[in-house]
Amino acid sequence: MNKTVNQQMHKPLPSIDHHISKEKMEEKEPLNILLLGVDKRPGDKGRSDSIIVMNLDPANNKMQLISIPRDTRTEIVGKGFTDKINHAYAYGGPDMSIETVENLLDIELDYYVQMNMEGLIDLVDAVGGITVNNELDWYDSSRNFHYAKGELNLDGRLTMGFVRMRYQDSRGDFGRTERQRKVIKGLIKKGASIGTVHKIDDIMDVLGKNMTTNMDFAIMRDLLLHYKDVRKNVVSYMLKGSGTRIDGTYYLIVPDEEIQKVNGMIE
């Protein structure tokens, strides 16, 4: 397990000062972790399909999951121009995504986790499926499955359908990112249950193939040990703004007051 994390998954980045992050963890201070769900296609560097800031507050036993819509218009740090925030990954990988998110929200990120979205299928299957509370009734003909309102037990294939659906939800990206956060909650809840202990080898195998992070094995262990109670109170939020077209391209314009609000939530 140690070998899988440190040799396959561990990738430090110059955009994060790892010494400061480690000190904050040792002092049990709040931590900010950037979650990047990346879609990669043949011949394409990929884009961050999902951008979520996970704020862990051990003093108040609270976890916040704050989604940043991928169409958010902001300065792409290192490029000197504004664009959709999910393009930062295509321009400069996780480093540029980290610096762009930090600049947008005026926060400091301590760790990042990059997950191949296709690997989500294997991860959900490795933990034995997840349970989510579905608020929208729809039918997915490609998966021949009825996503009924209420509690749903989903395997990996159905989870992918749950997070990917867009056109049957009038809330658009707002509904989509909400479902992404529900899946993260489901994975955290299932991963923390005693029943997944015997599946740890399968889980690590999946993560080793699909995940990269600047956390090594020792940091992951300390995070699980000292921040485990934050999952008792999970708060979800999505950055809000107004949609507009600029030169024919759709963007979400987030006002300064909203940025300040989210900054206050995290700080």
Side-chain angles (χ1 to χ4, degrees):
M1 191 185 306
N2 193 327
K3 183 178 179 181
T4 299
V5 174
N6 291 342
Q7 293 187 9
Q8 293 180 245
M9 297 159 56
H10 185 225
K11 290 190 178 179
L13 297 174
S15 54
I16 292 178
D17 189 325
H18 301 94
H19 297 294
I20 292 177
S21 300
K22 190 172 182 181
E23 287 174 5
K24 288 170 70 174
M25 182 178 288
E26 289 171 351
E27 296 297 322
K28 299 181 179 61
E29 295 180 12
L31 297 174
N32 293 320
I33 302 172
L34 182 64
L35 307 180
L36 294 171
V38 176
D39 246 340
K40 288 189 177 181
R41 298 174 178 84
D44 187 4
K45 290 181 179 179
R47 288 180 175 82
S48 46
D49 192 59
S50 174
I51 308 170
I52 297 175
V53 175
M54 175 188 284
N55 172 257
L56 307 181
D57 182 359
N60 296 298
N61 288 339
K62 183 171 73 171
M63 174 193 298
Q64 296 182 98
L65 297 173
I66 300 172
S67 294
I68 302 175
R70 58 185 184 176
D71 293 328
T72 300
R73 192 169 193 259
T74 189
E75 178 188 348
I76 306 298
V77 176
K79 284 294 181 180
F81 54 74
T82 57
D83 202 342
K84 295 186 179 187
I85 195 167
N86 73 323
H87 289 182
Y89 183 89
Y91 292 133
D95 258 319
M96 195 168 286
S97 293
I98 289 164
E99 292 177 338
T100 298
V101 169
E102 287 183 328
N103 183 65
L104 172 67
L105 298 181
D106 191 23
I107 62 170
E108 183 177 69
L109 291 167
D110 302 292
Y111 298 103
Y112 84 97
V113 174
Q114 176 184 315
M115 183 77 181
N116 174 12
M117 289 298 286
E118 289 299 325
L120 183 65
I121 296 175
D122 295 333
L123 180 58
V124 171
D125 287 338
V127 301
I130 61 171
T131 301
V132 298
N133 182 36
N134 181 36
E135 299 175 13
L136 184 68
D137 189 282
W138 86 90
Y139 180 76
D140 186 333
S141 58
S142 65
R143 292 173 175 81
N144 191 28
F145 185 76
H146 177 209
Y147 289 88
K149 281 186 179 181
E151 197 171 88
L152 293 176
N153 297 311
L154 306 176
D155 62 10
R157 185 179 68 93
L158 296 179
T159 297
M160 186 61 79
F162 185 72
V163 298
R164 283 265 168 88
M165 188 276 283
R166 293 180 67 190
Y167 301 112
Q168 298 181 70
D169 190 341
S170 61
R171 298 172 300 170
D173 208 34
F174 182 88
R176 185 170 159 276
T177 57
E178 182 181 52
R179 291 191 298 278
Q180 290 173 351
R181 295 191 299 273
K182 285 178 182 289
V183 167
I184 291 172
K185 290 181 189 177
L187 281 167
I188 290 171
K189 185 175 180 180
K190 194 62 177 286
S193 70
I194 207 74
T196 58
V197 173
H198 69 284
K199 301 173 184 175
I200 193 67
D201 287 340
D202 291 338
I203 294 171
M204 294 308 296
D205 182 57
V206 170
L207 293 178
K209 295 174 182 175
N210 295 284
M211 188 179 110
T212 54
T213 178
N214 61 331
M215 290 185 270
D216 59 21
F217 182 77
I219 291 172
M220 287 185 182
R221 181 193 59 211
D222 290 344
L223 193 65
L224 290 171
L225 181 64
H226 300 301
Y227 289 75
K228 64 180 186 300
D229 289 335
V230 298
R231 61 187 176 84
K232 293 178 179 178
N233 180 22
V234 182
V235 177
S236 284
Y237 190 77
M238 187 183 88
L239 210 60
K240 295 179 175 63
S242 56
T244 188
R245 289 195 174 275
I246 300 175
D247 296 329
T249 301
Y250 175 84
Y251 295 96
L252 184 80
I253 307 300
V254 180
D256 290 341
E257 312 87 76
E258 178 70 2
I259 297 294
Q260 291 167 10
K261 176 183 175 180
V262 171
N263 176 273
M265 290 170 61
I266 296 175
E267 293 295 318

